[in-house]
Amino acid sequence: MNKNLLSLNDLSKKEILELIEFAKNFKLEDGSFRKENLFPDKTVANVFCEPSTRTKSSFEIAAKNLGCSVVGFDISNSSVEKGESIYETVDALSLMGVNLCVLRHPESVIRDLSEYLPEMVFINGGEGSISHPTQALIDLMTIIENKGAIDDLNIVIVGDLDHSRVTSSFVEGVSNFAFNSLTFCGHPSMSTKYMSPALGKYEPDLDVALHDADVIMTLRIQHERFEETLNLDLEEYKHAYELTSERLEHAKGDAIVMHPGPVNYIEISESVYQCDQSVIRKQIANGVAIRMAVLSRFLSS
Ligand code: CP
């Protein structure tokens, strides 16, 4: 296994499945998580240069559950605000004894950082619109728990595909499996990278895309990543791309509905978020289990 988790392509199918199996051990029957003092001599820093609720909090909870010390780094009150580069910032944390850095950054800096500081372990907590490997592990784990396997499934991803690091890492992950179909659906202006995908197909009509779906991954519009203000009629957008209860009827009766969060209720209706087929809240809880597994593996390597 690589020293760092920078991309899901760093992991083989065997390693992905082992991490998911390992993560299951950290989940307890009552919905809480196992606490084991496995790494009392390790310090983890959460360096988040973009907002986060789920990823940042779950890495912190996971690290504490494993007995690590955690530096909850607040970038807006750090010396980055005084002009210090991310290289100097993470170097300073390394000199203070941080062993592992979870980094979320709007730009692709994590590879260069990992070469600049080879003694530090790096886990990608979200790299611009490029990748989010631990989210993909959560998504694969949630599918396997709910559908038994990924093989033979019809998978649909709908929403702002172009700006979604969740989509790119998810595609890297599912490419290891013999799924039946992978369909990308979204507004053409947000689907330019997925019109002729290397894997799967693009379908502009959501009702058609949903036909016989087993897994539906919904994605919010990432307004923060548009270079110009989005000139879009949201009612028209919802009319075409919102996953509603009526639309869900096109999918298989036991299809599961996913969303990496945060949810904006433009891409998905509140009734679908709350319906029995929604596993969105399970994805959030699986975040702690997967991050406990990832931290255990990468702190041990
Ligand atoms: N899914 C995800 O990365 O959520 P946060 O931005 O809240 O961490």
Side-chain angles (χ1 to χ4, degrees):
M1 188 173 280
N2 285 316
K3 182 178 82 62
N4 305 303
L5 180 54
L6 307 184
S7 152
L8 214 57
N9 285 335
D10 292 344
L11 300 177
S12 65
K13 177 180 180 180
K14 182 168 172 282
E15 287 168 335
I16 289 172
L17 290 172
E18 281 172 358
L19 276 171
I20 290 171
E21 276 307 304
F22 193 36
K24 287 182 189 167
N25 292 317
F26 292 115
K27 290 173 67 170
L28 299 176
E29 292 272 313
D30 64 0
S32 66
F33 301 94
R34 196 180 296 282
K35 289 185 174 64
E36 292 188 48
N37 198 30
L38 295 174
F39 302 100
D41 56 338
K42 299 290 187 187
T43 301
V44 172
N46 267 331
V47 180
F48 277 62
C49 305
E50 284 188 340
S52 171
T53 296
R54 290 150 196 78
T55 312
K56 188 175 183 192
S57 304
S58 60
F59 265 115
E60 180 165 344
I61 292 164
K64 287 179 176 167
N65 285 351
L66 295 167
C68 303
S69 302
V70 180
V71 180
F73 191 77
D74 178 4
I75 202 86
S76 61
N77 280 319
S78 76
S79 290
V80 171
E81 291 298 304
K82 297 184 237 170
E84 187 172 68
S85 77
I86 191 70
Y87 294 86
E88 291 161 323
T89 301
V90 181
D91 185 35
L93 292 169
S94 173
L95 291 166
M96 288 184 255
V98 169
N99 308 101
L100 183 149
C101 172
V102 181
L103 181 73
R104 172 170 288 190
H105 200 281
E107 289 158 21
S108 290
V109 293
I110 197 164
R111 270 161 206 77
D112 286 349
L113 259 174
S114 66
E115 284 164 22
Y116 182 67
L117 293 169
E119 69 281 10
M120 177 80 88
V121 177
F122 284 92
I123 305 292
N124 180 350
E127 179 188 16
S129 56
I130 295 175
S131 63
H132 195 354
T134 58
Q135 181 65 48
L137 289 171
I138 293 166
D139 299 339
L140 296 176
M141 177 178 181
T142 309
I143 294 173
I144 292 169
E145 279 186 340
N146 287 278
K147 305 302 293 180
I150 295 166
D151 291 352
D152 301 327
L153 296 180
N154 296 323
I155 301 170
V156 177
I157 309 178
V158 54
D160 179 2
L161 303 167
D162 280 348
H163 299 103
S164 173
R165 56 190 169 212
V166 172
T167 302
S168 36
S169 285
F170 182 76
V171 170
E172 286 173 11
V174 293
S175 67
N176 290 287
F177 299 89
F179 56 81
N180 188 55
S181 68
L182 177 64
T183 307
F184 301 97
C185 180
H187 191 283
S189 71
M190 300 177 206
S191 308
T192 58
K193 297 181 201 165
Y194 292 90
M195 291 284 177
S196 306
L199 200 62
K201 63 178 190 298
Y202 174 72
E203 169 52 61
D205 184 326
L206 181 54
D207 291 344
V208 175
L210 290 174
H211 180 69
D212 266 352
D214 296 290
V215 174
I216 308 153
M217 173 78 82
T218 53
L219 302 166
R220 73 182 173 93
I221 301 175
Q222 305 219 353
H223 292 276
E224 70 276 22
R225 299 207 190 280
F226 285 81
E227 283 169 12
E228 291 165 19
T229 308
L230 187 57
N231 189 13
L232 193 72
D233 182 324
L234 279 184
E235 285 312 311
E236 273 180 29
Y237 182 88
K238 285 174 76 167
H239 184 68
Y241 300 107
E242 183 184 34
L243 184 63
T244 59
S245 303
E246 296 72 37
R247 283 225 161 92
L248 190 52
E249 296 283 316
H250 294 288
K252 287 186 183 164
D254 61 353
I256 58 169
V257 176
M258 306 178 74
H259 193 306
V263 171
N264 287 159
Y265 298 119
I266 290 166
E267 64 282 7
I268 181 172
S269 69
E270 285 191 54
S271 59
V272 173
Y273 179 90
Q274 288 164 5
C275 77
D276 290 345
Q277 288 167 257
S278 167
V279 295
I280 298 169
R281 296 175 74 249
K282 292 181 184 175
Q283 286 173 272
I284 297 172
N286 280 343
V288 173
I290 279 289
R291 283 154 184 150
M292 286 182 76
V294 165
L295 289 176
S296 298
R297 282 282 189 264
F298 286 86
L299 283 170
S300 306
S301 61

